[in-house]
Amino acid sequence: MSGIHPFRVLRAKPLWIANGVITGVLAVLFAVFYVGANIAPVDHMTKLPVGLVNADKGADAGGKQVNLGTQITESIKKSTASGDKIDWKVMDEKELKEELGKGKLYGALVVPADFTSATTALTSAATTGAPVRPTLTVLTNQSAGSVGSSLARTATTQAAESASLQVGKELTAQTGPQQGKLPAAARVLLADPAAVTVEDGHPLDSHSGLGLTAFYYALVLVVVGMLSANVISGQVDHALGYTHNDMGPLRLHRPLIRATRVQTLAISSTLMAGLSLLMGSLVMVGAVGLMGMHAAHLPLLWLFSVCAIAVSGIGALTLLAVFGTPGMLVVTLVFIGMAVPTANATTPIQALPDFYRFLAEFEPLRQITGGIRSILYYDAQADAGLTRGWVMMAVGLAAAALFGFGVLGWYDRKGLHRIPAETEPEKTAAPA
């Protein structure tokens, strides 16, 4: 016994400095990643994909064929009012349905088939009784992300309202002297003829969390894999006798079984792969069976869930093995700190600053969310994020294996072996 009171350790400056630096950096990084990514999505928005459909069949007006839908879509496409914030994609109704059904569009503006005929009818004095107001339809797509859908809705609504006012100017000019024959309500209607209606372009089941169940389900898979890696790493070290295992007031210690760093990681990864079958099954039972989350393609969802947990867990085990004690901080930053803001689930990637868009290219949560979203919302279509999810998980697993076993093999070759927590003290010979 040293005779020094344990609380005297608080007088050690290195203890305060080391922990202050680590916790301070962690606090700043989380603030930057979480808050910084979402402060001004509109200011950072670039080329948000939004559909633009002209289904207008046109009409005869004054002896010539007129198609106001064409004028509107061309005007919106050429407009510089939104700068490069919106990427207007001109397409037909069939293409629009397909793109919304793959999550490739955050919304759309549709000019209906009778738009020109309904609009030109307003200029006739015969319509003074009950004119039919033309409509422009704004479609949303919450399945692609609530914030992205909201940004698209705002942009398309503004474009539709501007188009209505522009058409109104043309109608007012065309009526000329006939305006005096129209009632006041009709003249007001001519100035702003189109009604803007908002509809859901890709309706989801009521148990889909307004398009957020895919994100939260994917987040659960990543967190389960990450936390399980921490548990498995500690339990393997205990099983090999390198660390104690505290169970309440009891401290358990097993005999030492010497293992190289590579062998330890191989054991941990095997355990993670095997237990992922259990964890993936229980996540599905909890989300779908107990909580009632809407889900289709259950066998595929189960397989993807198991693989996502396994890859996330093995990746976390690799970082823990390579970096040691600081590895858990690295794991937290990689799988949570940098991952959540760049998952393309709440704020779309197109509305993130450039640095976050770069992170989104390889952050695991984004890839897993895309795959889960495809399975839950888009009928498991390959090009709706499922193929990218599988490919990026395979790439992540390969990268973890190369990095982990490569670095740990180097540690072993250099003789940087692990030192057991407790070893028998050397016995000194008794004096003669």
Side-chain angles (χ1 to χ4, degrees), residues 278-295:
L278 172 65
M279 291 184 284
S281 301
L282 292 179
V283 168
M284 273 192 62
V285 169
V288 180
L290 297 180
M291 304 311 299
M293 183 185 80
H294 174 73

Side-chain angles (χ1 to χ4, degrees), residues 50-62:
V50 177
L52 188 58
V53 176
N54 175 31
D56 190 7
K57 297 180 179 179
D60 182 77

Side-chain angles (χ1 to χ4, degrees), residues 294-366:
H294 174 73
H297 306 282
L298 292 181
L300 179 59
L301 179 62
W302 175 82
L303 179 61
F304 196 91
S305 300
V306 169
C307 293
I309 291 175
V311 172
S312 299
I314 292 173
L317 284 170
T318 297
L319 295 176
L320 290 171
V322 170
F323 294 105
T325 301
M328 196 58 202
L329 296 178
V330 178
V331 169
T332 303
L333 288 174
V334 172
F335 288 92
I336 300 297
M338 295 187 294
V340 172
T342 59
N344 196 33
T346 51
T347 303
I349 292 176
Q350 294 84 356
L352 294 175
D354 292 340
F355 173 67
Y356 299 88
R357 296 187 198 187
F358 167 73
L359 292 178
E361 291 301 315
F362 56 85
E363 272 295 327
L365 183 56
R366 186 256 174 120

Side-chain angles (χ1 to χ4, degrees), residues 83-246:
D84 63 347
K85 294 183 180 297
I86 301 296
D87 182 13
W88 296 104
K89 296 184 178 296
V90 179
M91 58 186 64
D92 59 32
E93 291 181 289
K94 180 181 178 181
E95 292 173 321
L96 175 66
K97 185 177 181 179
E98 292 176 351
E99 294 295 284
L100 287 173
K102 294 178 181 178
K104 297 186 180 298
L105 297 175
Y106 287 94
L109 176 61
V110 179
V111 183
D114 63 345
F115 184 78
T116 298
S117 59
T119 302
T120 55
L122 296 176
T123 61
S124 172
T127 63
T128 56
V132 178
R133 192 176 187 187
T135 61
L136 292 172
T137 304
V138 170
L139 297 179
T140 61
N141 191 9
Q142 284 191 328
S143 67
S146 56
V147 174
S149 179
S150 176
L151 292 172
R153 174 178 175 172
T154 300
T156 49
T157 301
Q158 291 175 348
E161 292 173 347
S162 298
S164 177
L165 293 174
Q166 183 60 39
V167 171
K169 291 180 182 179
E170 297 180 7
L171 291 178
T172 301
Q174 290 174 10
T175 55
Q178 294 183 358
Q179 286 192 59
K181 301 178 183 180
L182 299 174
R187 291 197 296 270
V188 172
L189 184 58
L190 280 178
D192 186 12
V196 179
T197 62
V198 180
E199 299 177 6
D200 192 344
H202 185 70
L204 296 174
D205 186 271
S206 60
H207 288 73
S208 295
L210 300 177
L212 286 174
T213 50
F215 166 64
Y216 286 114
Y217 189 91
L219 182 60
V220 168
L221 298 178
V222 172
V223 170
V224 166
M226 180 189 77
L227 295 181
S228 298
N230 192 43
V231 173
I232 289 172
S233 176
Q235 290 301 311
V236 168
D237 283 347
H238 168 62
L240 292 174
Y242 280 87
T243 60
H244 298 295
N245 190 16
D246 291 331

